[in-house]
Amino acid sequence: MSDVVEKTLTALPSLLSLDSQSGAGKLSSTSKLGGLIRSITELTSKHEEEKLINRELAAIKEQVSSPNTSMRQMKEIMVRAIYCEMLGYEASFSYIHAIKLAQQGSAIEKRVGYLAVSLFLNESHDLLLLLVNTVLKDLQSTNLIEVCMALTVVSQLFPKDMIPAILPLVEEKLTNPKEIIRRKAVLALHKFYLIAPNQVQHIHSKFRKALCDKDPGVMTASLHIYLQLIKENPDSYKDLTGSFVAILRQVVGGKLPVDFNYHNVPAPWLQIQLLRILSLLGKDDQSTSELMYEVLDESLRRAEMNHNITYAILYECVKAIYTIYPKSELLEKAAKCIGNFVVSPKINLKYLGLKALTYVVQQDASLALQHQMTIIECLDHSDSIIKRETLEVLFRITNVKNVAVIVEKMLDFLKLCNDDYTIIDLVGKVAELAEKYSPNNEWFIQTMNVVFSLGGELMHPDIPNNFLRLLAQGFGSEEEEQQQLRVFAVDSYLTLLESDTAHLPQRFLQVISWALGEFSYLKDGLEPCKVTKLLAKLLDERNVTSESRSWILSAMAKLSAGPGAAALALQVSERYSSSLDTVLRQQALELLHLSQDPELHARVLPHGAAWDSFEVDSSLSFLDSFVSEALSQGAAPYKAPHQRQEELRQEKALSLEPYSISLPVSLSSCSITDRQSPTLLSMSSSLSGNSNELKAGSSTLKLEGVKRVWGKEGYLHQQDAVEEAAQVEEAATPALPLSPQQGGAESQQTHGDLTVVEQEKQKLASSLFVGLGSQNSTFLMGKSDSTSQQFRRKTRAADSTSSGVSERSSSSSHSSCSDFLHNNLLEDSQNSLNTQKIGVSNGTHEGPVTQSFQTANGIPEEDGEELGNPLPVIVDSDVASIGTETSKETSPFLDAGMVLVQPCSPQTELRDFVQPGSSGITQTSLRSQFPPELSQLPHSDISLLSSDHSLSLSACRAYRDDALLFVIILSNCSQSSTNGLSVQLDCKQLKVASLRGNALENLPAHSMSVCWYALLMEEPHTQVTVAGSVSYRAVPGHTQTLQFTDKLFLTDFIRPLTLSTEEYGKLWLSFSQDVRQNLKLIQGEGDPLRATLSALKEQLQLHIVDIIGSEGIVACRLLPDSPCLLHCRIHGGSLAVWLRSPLLSLPDCLLYYCQKTLEEC
Amino acid sequence: MIKFFLMVNKQGQTRLSRYYEQVDLGKRPALEADVVRSCLSRHKDECSFVEHKDYKLVFRQYAGLFIVVGITDTENELSIYELVHNFVEILDKYFSRVVSAEAQIMFNLDRVHLILDEMILNGHVAETNKTRILAPLMVLDKLAEG
């Protein structure tokens, strides 16, 4: 270090006399900084603070702009500005001066300048560019301390685009003789890797050199990079396992210099880092794991000293032992170690023990048994965080027998809890357990009552939705039991309504009113009048929202048939028929009609009708005559809202484009040549009527090479093979799902591909798990399991539910046109979906949706939600057209080019699925196991990931609009049942939004179970590997695990982002950084821009916002909600694309796939 | 990963803050107040780790001063708890324990930041060796002293 000082000394002679403050010295009492600090300590109120800081900021502002301010004074000013910002007051005027100080100051002043920059600015700040030159200069400086500073700031923040400018200099520092420089250079490269991985691709070999550096500090720094690399792709670094093991052995053995010790423990944080790396490498890999058994054992042995830091190491060690390929001897020691943690009187240790236990019980539930008593003690612990962690352990070991006790404990905790995050989390978990393991109906209803009361408006909307679906569709085959559940629900809700209702959350009120409306007829001797009265009382309560009122009104409509109820209904409808809320007004009028016309009521809302017994006419053909009459009398044809907006916009602005191009995208992309022609438009309404006409119609309505990839429910994945079939199917019987045979035939097509993949995976599995299972095991798919999943939903392809009635205004003459336009311009209608929710009281899931009438040509119209949903034919021509709304469940993909496979009956025997000479898995049989919420989603082919002699595991990806569902299908192919199944998925790069069915008490022989993870990609990666394991017991007491891995791609997480051109413009301006790239243009017939964008849209699920002339704008989002905007323009022979996104690496990742797609075209 | 590092006094006033994940300046005071509230309300014999929103807090008290570290769920709480202590030991070594800790930190905010920056970088533990952490600062001080 002395030569550092020497060099610095010669460089900065002028400085010596200036600063007399020593490191530990105090500021002179007269200095401005000293004054500020004293004032801050004397502050007594927020108001005073505001006054003080504003005064201070004004003083700083004046000083910084004065030319006489010396660097030393500037340093002090910066510290004062840091204080102001620390207290939350922006001092943005000083940012530029911080950069100047870093540039012009020397030694400590320069360092404080850099410090201020790193505190004030963030990665995307524009001023950061001004720092680049300073960094460049300092990196080249002969003064080591300046090089050091530059490297430090570079590894804190640096503009991504400027990395190439300094990269060679940083690389060169890797060979610097000083360890501190080498170490900081490695840390800077780590930073570069984090923000722009492809920029440092070429120096991976240098990372290896850093790993082998003779200085332990440099080696430690390189581990950051390796942890990241191995997380992303463990397979490429297996060869380094030996090195990591050797390093850990040396560290544990005390071979490092003593100053690396912390309380006599050698480099503890380094040990922890190494253990993390080893567990990633050893995961799912027996041979790699074998290399590390010994060193892990040694770590366990050595870390016996009684100090917190050794416990921290032990925890990491235990985690590693349970993550890698298991070795019983080590597992035993690790389990003992956790035991010591859990029983420790030290509270922090106890917490860590419980945390480890939540991790471990998923693989070996028996460990929880060993610590039964401690767990029970912890449940009553005075510290709520210990309780919370204990509940987490219990949640993972819940089964049919202990569910009641565990749920009770969780609810007890919830009642005392006031943290929103905890409530949301726990309520979700209770609901999951209740649904999965409920011992009886009464318990289930009561538990859900508590869940709704406690969860209130916070809980995830899936919870009430799933609950209502369960009530509606029933669970399992026992009709009687199902009715009993409903009666229980009705009973308990009546009791609730009779007492004080003011405290009930809105969501709960909605659930109650729906259930009462649907099922109160089931209870003997219950007068509808009585229920109606209770509901009417609710309506009057002031704190009931209009959304809930709408639910209540639908319920009343269902109950309005009785004699007493009718009178009450009349009262209510009179009051609300003048409501300002259009939804309520509409429902009040419906109520009025229905209560006065019992015959109509019986047809529209039959009691206890089967959910799928409604005949529906999705195309509103009954309005045809009305429409053509109106048109012939000169009424203007219907125009979709987006079209009207577009025209409005064009009227305002001068159009310099030729006409053909200035047409709205939507229209020009479909071949309606004369959009004013009433005949053509009315022809569209024949979509419904007879199938011959439809075929003729549909052939003229082709979208120009634009495949419909997105439906209302999400991404329609496999349209290729099935689109045609679907169209024919749709034409013949619009509302009928495909028969199982056809579904089977479809699966045959994909079967060929499947077997190849399967064989490869089997090969891999057998090589990985040699000796564990028989290679020749057969994979038999059985009937679905029913024992553990108490409430299993009936699977139906088309469940139509009906509830309230919506009455269309009799003047909605053009609704068939609207329907037509929307059917064909679905992409664009998604636009309007966002802004315009259409409300037909959609009883089951959605709840009454707010209705907004958009008036076109003075005519109220409906669209959006109704799209494609079959509507019942129940209309009298003289009554206003009434559509009983259908739920979202109603085969939404039928007219969107998607085939639904009719799920087989759960009771189907397994032999039905076994095909001689094949592995026995058919897509159909697997898919038939999907719960309804999955079976309706588009999904990838199901592929076999892993298997052993008793269990086989397949998976597929289902594309939901808000998440990617990773669906795992477990099938027990042995002759005996397996117990204690639990699935664990591990992928650090993805976020698990929710999961279902990952633990199972038992899986009977030849049966299957489905579990799924909803995954989100918060940080963009081009691809990620998900690994996981299933642990189970085939023989009591002997836990086995089955490992699997799969790859997910960025494109799986991309969804279209529908927005208008204006919204796009705003969003575009809100992001600052562009990434620009030239892409290949597809040269085909027609417009190359359109063709290229269509190809991208089709492959990558982008949304084309607009195409104007030679430019196009496209938008998409990365799940959950990171937008990425593309601005494309034809430039020369290629397509220039600018990308903007709040996520810095998203454009890069997306471009990779854009290039790939276009290369393949 | 470490999300932020805070030093606050018993009254809940921030004495040092360093964010490793971007948080808007305007939102920081509210976040800090929230964090401090959930830590200060803890009893002495209760756990030093708190769940806060979607992350965890690890806190440790030194006389009138609290150090609170926000971490993600994947981090090892106990190792962070000890990292805090390592940091305090380094401060002790550097300032050779003179006046009260709070005043020492306030008057040397820049230097405390410099020490912290050597130890934690981008939310990762960059260095824990006391001598090495203090080395750059010692050089700067020597230069200043002359």
Side-chain angles (χ1 to χ4, degrees):
Chain A
M1 191 171 304
S2 59
D3 52 348
V4 179
V5 180
E6 266 168 37
K7 278 183 187 159
T8 320
L9 283 175
T10 49
L12 310 153
S14 61
L15 203 106
L16 301 174
S17 57
L18 285 177
D19 195 337
S20 60
Q21 290 169 26
S22 74
K26 295 179 201 71
L27 291 154
S28 65
S29 57
T30 54
S31 81
K32 291 213 170 74
L33 177 58
L36 174 66
I37 290 170
R38 252 184 307 282
S39 312
I40 288 177
T41 49
E42 284 158 11
L43 284 176
T44 54
S45 72
K46 188 78 196 160
H47 179 67
E48 269 181 42
E49 178 188 288
E50 213 174 303
K51 253 171 53 191
L52 171 74
I53 300 298
N54 283 332
R55 213 167 48 224
E56 185 69 22
L57 283 173
I60 295 176
K61 206 169 196 169
E62 196 181 315
Q63 266 184 295
V64 283
S65 45
S66 151
N68 300 328
T69 312
S70 71
M71 281 298 133
R72 190 180 150 208
Q73 282 166 323
M74 194 59 102
K75 179 203 141 199
E76 198 201 78
I77 291 170
M78 280 308 135
V79 179
R80 280 156 64 198
I82 290 175
Y83 261 104
C84 295
E85 288 239 325
M86 187 170 83
L87 294 173
Y89 300 83
E90 198 180 287
S92 48
F93 61 86
S94 60
Y95 296 172
I96 187 74
H97 298 281
I99 293 176
K100 246 162 87 186
L101 183 64
Q103 196 179 340
Q104 295 165 6
S106 24
I108 187 83
E109 286 135 24
K110 191 184 212 29
R111 183 68 189 90
V112 171
Y114 274 131
L115 170 71
V117 169
S118 77
L119 284 167
F120 292 156
L121 303 185
N122 61 48
E123 225 120 61
S124 50
H125 204 288
D126 293 337
L127 283 179
L128 210 54
L129 285 173
L130 299 176
L131 195 73
V132 174
N133 259 329
T134 313
V135 168
L136 212 56
K137 206 181 96 217
D138 285 342
L139 281 177
Q140 288 164 307
S141 162
T142 49
N143 184 338
L144 284 185
I145 204 83
E146 284 180 352
V147 177
C148 232
M149 289 177 201
L151 284 172
T152 309
V153 82
V154 160
S155 38
Q156 282 170 324
L157 78 171
F158 198 74
K160 189 175 147 188
D161 303 336
M162 299 308 288
I163 290 176
I166 59 162
L167 191 59
L169 284 172
V170 175
E171 271 181 70
E172 177 196 306
K173 305 291 179 233
L174 287 173
T175 51
N176 196 290
K178 287 280 161 214
E179 68 79 21
I180 187 165
I181 303 290
R182 293 203 304 276
R183 179 160 61 86
K184 295 212 172 242
V186 172
L187 290 170
L189 290 177
H190 175 223
K191 177 68 178 179
F192 294 166
Y193 183 77
L194 288 176
I195 55 176
N198 34 11
Q199 307 260 30
V200 287
Q201 290 288 334
H202 62 289
I203 36 180
H204 279 203
S205 61
K206 295 195 177 165
F207 295 156
R208 290 200 180 215
K209 236 178 124 196
L211 180 67
C212 305
D213 199 286
K214 59 181 187 295
D215 184 86
V218 181
M219 180 273 294
T220 310
S222 76
L223 291 184
H224 290 298
I225 300 177
Y226 276 106
L227 185 66
Q228 191 65 32
L229 289 171
I230 292 169
K231 241 186 230 168
E232 281 158 21
N233 187 4
D235 292 336
S236 313
Y237 300 92
K238 299 273 184 191
D239 59 320
L240 286 175
T241 312
S243 314
F244 293 123
V245 167
I247 295 169
L248 181 59
R249 185 171 295 131
Q250 286 179 38
V251 176
V252 172
K255 300 280 196 306
L256 289 188
V258 193
D259 62 350
F260 282 91
N261 286 5
Y262 173 77
H263 292 251
N264 297 326
V265 181
W269 292 277
L270 171 58
Q271 289 192 42
I272 288 170
Q273 189 85 337
L274 283 165
L275 286 167
R276 283 180 189 156
I277 289 176
L278 288 182
S279 68
L280 287 174
L281 284 171
K283 192 168 186 172
D284 306 331
D285 185 341
Q286 188 175 5
S287 54
T288 309
S289 297
E290 274 164 2
L291 297 173
M292 48 187 88
Y293 288 147
E294 199 184 320
V295 74
L296 288 175
D297 192 37
E298 196 176 338
S299 285
L300 275 182
R301 253 187 306 115
R302 292 265 188 166
E304 269 170 356
M305 223 185 53
N306 191 18
H307 190 277
N308 271 337
I309 197 65
T310 56
Y311 300 137
I313 297 172
L314 278 178
Y315 169 80
E316 216 63 49
C317 208
V318 166
K319 237 178 124 176
I321 288 171
Y322 272 94
T323 309
I324 62 168
Y325 191 86
K327 187 189 183 196
S328 57
E329 190 191 332
L330 275 179
L331 290 177
E332 230 168 76
K333 283 184 186 172
K336 204 177 133 207
C337 183
I338 294 177
N340 291 338
F341 277 27
V342 178
V343 299
S344 165
K346 286 186 180 168
I347 189 98
N348 288 344
L349 211 51
K350 202 187 256 308
Y351 172 82
L352 215 60
L354 288 169
K355 193 179 167 188
L357 212 52
T358 56
Y359 188 77
V360 167
V361 286
Q362 291 174 54
Q363 291 161 55
D364 181 11
S366 64
L367 211 59
L369 283 177
Q370 284 173 31
H371 302 296
Q372 233 171 354
M373 289 323 287
T374 328
I375 290 175
I376 287 168
E377 272 168 35
C378 290
L379 261 185
D380 294 325
H381 203 278
S382 56
D383 189 350
S384 65
I385 193 159
I386 296 281
K387 268 196 213 172
R388 177 81 178 78
E389 206 60 39
T390 316
L391 291 177
E392 213 52 40
V393 177
L394 291 180
F395 171 70
R396 303 231 151 100
I397 57 163
T398 310
N399 55 42
V400 186
K401 284 167 202 144
N402 60 14
V403 65
V405 194
I406 290 177
V407 164
E408 194 193 324
K409 291 283 175 200
M410 288 169 105
L411 292 177
D412 284 349
F413 183 87
L414 263 176
K415 280 170 192 155
L416 298 172
C417 175
N418 50 15
D419 175 61
D420 288 357
Y421 280 84
T422 317
I423 292 176
I424 295 170
D425 183 51
L426 270 185
V427 158
K429 281 177 174 158
V430 171
E432 190 187 327
L433 292 180
E435 200 176 299
K436 240 185 189 165
Y437 302 115
S438 165
N440 62 58
N441 287 332
E442 205 171 354
W443 181 89
F444 179 65
I445 294 292
Q446 273 165 6
T447 307
M448 290 311 284
N449 281 355
V450 185
V451 165
F452 291 137
S453 307
L454 292 173
E457 317 311 325
L458 290 173
M459 72 185 155
H460 198 276
D462 273 357
I463 299 174
N465 288 350
N466 285 343
F467 175 72
L468 290 185
R469 196 179 305 160
L470 219 127
L471 271 187
Q473 297 176 358
F475 45 86
S477 49
E478 300 290 320
E479 188 66 22
E480 201 178 303
E481 203 176 316
Q482 192 177 322
Q483 300 293 46
Q484 197 197 11
L485 176 75
R486 293 170 179 166
V487 175
F488 269 133
V490 169
D491 266 342
S492 86
Y493 296 156
L494 284 178
T495 326
L496 274 171
L497 287 191
E498 274 159 7
S499 57
D500 181 26
T501 50
H503 63 281
L504 295 179
Q506 300 301 316
R507 289 255 186 82
F508 194 17
L509 287 181
Q510 292 160 11
V511 167
I512 290 177
S513 24
W514 188 86
L516 286 179
E518 285 290 317
F519 301 120
S520 56
Y521 76 93
L522 288 171
K523 190 171 156 58
D524 293 334
L526 179 67
E527 285 290 318
C529 168
K530 188 187 165 199
V531 184
T532 316
K533 260 185 196 146
L534 285 171
L535 290 174
K537 200 181 90 193
L538 270 188
L539 267 184
D540 293 340
E541 267 179 44
R542 192 178 296 163
N543 55 359
V544 173
T545 60
S546 53
E547 194 194 351
S548 305
R549 287 212 164 91
S550 174
W551 283 76
I552 297 170
L553 281 172
S554 334
M556 289 175 92
K558 288 173 210 161
L559 294 166
S560 63
L568 200 62
L570 193 65
Q571 268 180 31
V572 170
S573 59
E574 262 170 18
R575 180 145 20 107
Y576 284 94
S577 56
S578 57
S579 163
L580 284 178
D581 189 323
T582 48
V583 180
L584 292 183
R585 199 157 70 210
Q586 182 193 351
Q587 287 195 309
L589 288 169
E590 285 168 14
L591 178 61
L592 190 69
H593 274 290
L594 287 170
S595 64
Q596 284 169 352
D597 189 345
E599 196 191 323
L600 178 66
H601 188 279
R603 273 166 63 199
V604 175
L605 299 164
H607 272 323
W611 299 103
D612 44 7
S613 67
F614 288 101
E615 276 181 52
V616 285
D617 177 2
S618 60
S619 56
L620 311 178
S621 63
F622 50 84
L623 288 171
D624 283 0
S625 60
F626 188 88
V627 173
S628 49
E629 197 182 319
L631 286 171
S632 67
Q633 285 172 6
Y638 170 76
K639 282 176 194 161
H642 64 89
Q643 189 186 340
R644 292 196 298 273
Q645 277 168 10
E646 192 76 21
E647 282 174 8
L648 222 63
R649 202 167 60 89
Q650 281 168 15
E651 272 166 28
K652 282 180 198 154
L654 274 180
S655 169
L656 301 173
E657 299 282 341
Y659 281 128
S660 58
I661 298 172
S662 70
L663 275 177
V665 187
S666 49
L667 269 180
S668 54
S669 68
C670 76
S671 62
I672 304 174
T673 43
D674 178 7
R675 59 192 157 127
Q676 295 299 327
S677 156
T679 46
L680 188 65
L681 284 172
S682 65
M683 179 203 74
S684 64
S685 56
S686 64
L687 262 173
S688 53
N690 88 44
S691 59
N692 291 331
E693 258 183 65
L694 168 88
K695 273 189 178 168
S698 66
S699 64
T700 58
L701 297 171
K702 248 180 223 146
L703 295 177
E704 242 176 31
V706 179
K707 219 184 277 178
R708 187 181 294 145
V709 182
W710 279 84
K712 197 162 56 131
E713 299 272 78
Y715 172 47
L716 311 176
H717 196 244
Q718 21 158 260
Q719 67 284 68
D720 255 346
V722 297
E723 193 156 50
E724 215 171 305
Q727 274 173 5
V728 175
E729 197 65 27
E730 182 190 1
T733 48
L736 220 75
L738 270 188
S739 63
Q741 287 83 3
Q742 279 162 311
E746 185 247 323
S747 76
Q748 292 271 342
Q749 287 180 350
T750 50
H751 194 77
D753 302 337
L754 181 73
T755 44
V756 179
V757 181
E758 239 171 54
Q759 280 166 357
E760 268 191 29
K761 303 241 159 144
Q762 274 188 31
K763 227 158 114 192
L764 183 69
S766 56
S767 65
L768 276 175
F769 303 111
V770 102
L772 281 172
S774 138
Q775 218 171 318
N776 304 323
S777 58
T778 45
F779 304 101
L780 303 178
M781 294 295 136
K783 58 184 176 188
S784 90
D785 154 60
S786 61
T787 48
S788 61
Q789 186 104 352
Q790 194 78 6
F791 291 102
R792 197 166 29 77
R793 290 177 200 126
K794 280 183 183 162
T795 45
R796 289 180 201 197
D799 276 320
S800 55
T801 37
S802 95
S803 45
V805 185
S806 84
E807 186 173 353
R808 282 154 202 254
S809 153
S810 56
S811 61
S812 65
S813 55
H814 293 176
S815 52
S816 63
C817 301
S818 96
D819 214 30
F820 148 68
L821 274 175
H822 278 278
N823 272 325
N824 290 286
L825 306 173
L826 196 69
E827 290 82 359
D828 294 286
S829 76
Q830 300 246 335
N831 252 335
S832 56
L833 262 178
N834 294 339
T835 49
Q836 185 189 6
K837 284 194 178 170
I838 294 309
V840 184
S841 35
N842 202 343
T844 12
H845 315 296
E846 294 292 275
V849 187
T850 336
Q851 178 155 17
S852 62
F853 288 98
Q854 291 227 353
T855 322
N857 311 326
I859 297 167
E861 37 103 356
E862 297 204 29
D863 60 359
E865 289 287 305
E866 283 289 346
L867 262 190
N869 282 351
L871 285 164
V873 199
I874 42 159
V875 180
D876 286 334
S877 54
D878 52 344
V879 183
S881 37
I882 295 176
T884 305
E885 76 290 3
T886 50
S887 78
K888 274 190 126 180
E889 294 281 277
T890 328
S891 56
F893 292 111
L894 275 179
D895 43 5
M898 172 80 185
V899 167
L900 280 182
V901 178
Q902 170 95 60
C904 301
S905 143
Q907 300 304 325
T908 318
E909 284 300 322
L910 71 132
R911 59 174 175 276
D912 293 349
F913 299 118
V914 182
Q915 297 177 350
S918 80
S919 60
I921 298 173
T922 68
Q923 297 263 322
T924 324
S925 68
L926 287 169
R927 208 171 298 152
S928 70
Q929 302 302 317
F930 282 14
E933 72 247 49
L934 294 184
S935 63
Q936 309 229 337
L937 294 172
H939 54 77
S940 66
D941 286 345
I942 298 168
S943 55
L944 183 71
L945 288 188
S946 172
S947 68
D948 63 14
H949 59 283
S950 53
L951 209 60
S952 82
L953 186 149
S954 316
C956 77
R957 304 186 289 276
Y959 305 88
R960 207 170 67 185
D961 199 26
D962 62 342
L964 177 75
L965 303 185
F966 188 67
V967 184
I968 300 169
I969 304 137
L970 292 168
S971 57
N972 181 354
C973 41
S974 70
Q975 298 299 321
S976 54
S977 70
T978 51
N979 295 313
L981 242 78
S982 100
V983 182
Q984 213 191 351
L985 193 70
D986 190 38
C987 184
K988 299 260 156 52
Q989 292 111 308
L990 299 176
K991 185 182 163 195
V992 178
S994 66
L995 70 167
R996 281 288 157 83
N998 67 320
L1000 204 57
E1001 176 62 12
N1002 87 43
L1003 188 63
H1006 305 308
S1007 63
M1008 287 194 255
S1009 158
V1010 175
C1011 89
W1012 52 260
Y1013 285 79
L1015 300 174
L1016 302 173
M1017 185 182 264
E1018 287 179 322
E1019 286 293 322
H1021 298 279
T1022 49
Q1023 71 171 56
V1024 292
T1025 308
V1026 287
S1029 62
V1030 187
S1031 62
Y1032 66 96
R1033 294 191 303 271
V1035 189
H1038 182 63
T1039 304
Q1040 281 179 304
T1041 45
L1042 182 62
Q1043 321 272 354
F1044 62 92
T1045 56
D1046 200 2
K1047 279 195 165 51
L1048 300 176
F1049 304 94
L1050 179 86
T1051 45
D1052 291 331
F1053 295 89
I1054 293 286
R1055 301 286 179 271
L1057 180 66
T1058 47
L1059 28 72
S1060 68
T1061 313
E1062 291 79 24
E1063 287 164 342
Y1064 181 97
K1066 272 184 207 150
L1067 204 58
W1068 178 266
L1069 291 176
S1070 66
F1071 308 137
S1072 56
Q1073 286 190 327
D1074 279 338
V1075 173
R1076 202 201 145 193
Q1077 182 86 36
N1078 280 346
L1079 294 177
K1080 193 182 129 186
L1081 206 54
I1082 298 180
Q1083 303 290 357
E1085 43 191 277
D1087 184 359
L1089 175 66
R1090 229 169 259 281
T1092 312
L1093 292 187
S1094 303
L1096 289 176
K1097 171 204 170 96
E1098 197 178 299
Q1099 293 297 320
L1100 305 173
Q1101 279 69 52
L1102 311 177
H1103 171 72
I1104 302 178
V1105 181
D1106 209 345
I1107 299 179
I1108 301 164
S1110 60
E1111 294 186 40
I1113 52 177
V1114 179
C1116 68
R1117 65 191 166 96
L1118 177 70
L1119 289 171
D1121 51 9
S1122 314
C1124 185
L1125 306 178
L1126 292 84
H1127 179 189
C1128 315
R1129 177 186 203 144
I1130 296 195
H1131 183 76
S1134 61
L1135 184 70
V1137 183
W1138 289 264
L1139 293 97
R1140 284 190 179 187
S1141 167
L1143 290 182
L1144 292 172
S1145 51
L1146 183 54
D1148 278 341
C1149 296
L1150 193 64
L1151 264 177
Y1152 169 77
Y1153 283 103
C1154 289
Q1155 271 166 336
K1156 211 171 139 190
T1157 305
L1158 295 175
E1159 287 308 317
E1160 282 166 7
C1161 270
Chain B
M1 192 189 132
I2 300 171
K3 292 188 154 206
F4 55 78
F5 192 101
L6 291 180
M7 292 174 96
V8 290
N9 68 6
K10 262 188 169 164
Q11 288 77 46
Q13 291 158 317
T14 309
R15 291 300 173 235
L16 175 138
S17 68
R18 178 56 130 161
Y19 289 84
Y20 300 101
E21 222 179 42
Q22 200 190 324
V23 177
D24 283 348
L25 193 64
K27 288 180 185 154
R28 288 180 189 183
L31 184 147
E32 284 161 22
D34 244 21
V35 162
V36 168
R37 204 174 309 126
S38 46
C39 290
L40 290 186
S41 66
R42 307 280 296 169
H43 199 262
K44 266 216 171 88
D45 48 352
E46 286 184 331
C47 197
S48 315
F49 318 128
V50 191
E51 269 181 38
H52 188 81
K53 304 213 167 136
D54 53 344
Y55 51 92
K56 292 217 168 107
L57 304 174
V58 173
F59 69 97
R60 204 161 175 166
Q61 187 180 1
Y62 293 92
L65 206 63
F66 283 89
I67 296 182
V68 189
V69 190
I71 54 171
T72 57
D73 201 42
T74 49
E75 208 39 88
N76 179 333
E77 288 90 349
L78 209 53
S79 80
I80 299 297
Y81 186 71
E82 288 306 310
L83 186 73
V84 168
H85 192 66
N86 191 42
F87 176 64
V88 170
E89 283 180 352
I90 296 168
L91 292 186
D92 276 351
K93 191 172 167 187
Y94 181 72
F95 294 114
S96 39
R97 257 193 188 277
V98 259
V99 267
S100 90
E102 190 181 340
Q104 193 68 265
I105 284 157
M106 289 193 81
F107 281 96
N108 294 285
L109 186 67
D110 48 346
R111 289 186 163 79
V112 179
H113 264 298
L114 296 187
I115 292 173
L116 186 61
D117 282 357
E118 290 295 316
M119 192 172 86
I120 303 174
L121 208 61
N122 286 316
H124 300 283
V125 183
E127 180 61 85
T128 52
N129 181 326
K130 295 188 178 75
T131 334
R132 290 187 169 196
I133 286 176
L134 287 177
L137 188 56
M138 296 286 203
V139 175
L140 288 174
D141 283 338
K142 247 186 205 147
L143 283 176
E145 273 168 23

